Amino acid sequence: MRQEFNFYHPIIVRYRDLDPQGHVNNAVYLTYLESARIGYYQSVGFWRPGTSPLTGMVVAHNQIDYLAPIFFGESVRVGLRTDAIGSKSLTMVFQIEKSDGQLAAKGKSVMVAYDNQADSSILIPVDWREKITQFENQEF
């Protein structure tokens, strides 16, 4: 089932994304998701490029259902939102859509707030929680 999101990230399918069958390789879908997450962090306002190469988040879990192949030259976009906020983690849901509205993939990711210097998970900062709540127009 197709969902609506407050954040969409456009993707340009590159020739290098293709596998020998001529469609986007399954692992590349996760690269598309990674690009969308970085855009989401910027749009929400808790990470800015140039301030640090580290986003303060690490991937704990990815789940993806592959629904349709993506081919070179197709326009796709990743819809992404925060679905739940725990004490140290965010659960994000996503879908990858083709320009005709067909779903190519859907799934969820669990992201953990992380202090790279201490090499440890941390509590979700209060300002992140506030920014996500405002961006998503939803209480968590």
Side-chain angles (χ1 to χ4, degrees), residues 62-129:
N62 279 321
Q63 174 185 321
I64 186 168
D65 295 324
Y66 298 94
L67 305 171
I70 301 169
F71 296 97
F72 184 74
E74 288 187 307
S75 297
V76 297
R77 67 181 186 165
V78 180
L80 180 71
R81 78 166 171 271
T82 299
D83 198 46
I85 303 177
S87 59
K88 293 184 174 185
S89 65
L90 306 173
T91 300
M92 306 180 92
V93 294
F94 68 89
Q95 64 189 25
I96 301 175
E97 307 170 9
K98 296 182 172 197
S99 60
D100 65 2
Q102 182 183 21
L103 293 185
K106 66 180 181 174
K108 70 178 181 177
S109 296
V110 177
M111 305 301 297
V112 173
Y114 200 76
D115 180 335
N116 288 84
Q117 291 180 338
D119 196 24
S120 177
S121 62
I122 59 171
L123 295 174
I124 299 285
V126 173
D127 67 316
W128 289 13
R129 189 178 298 270

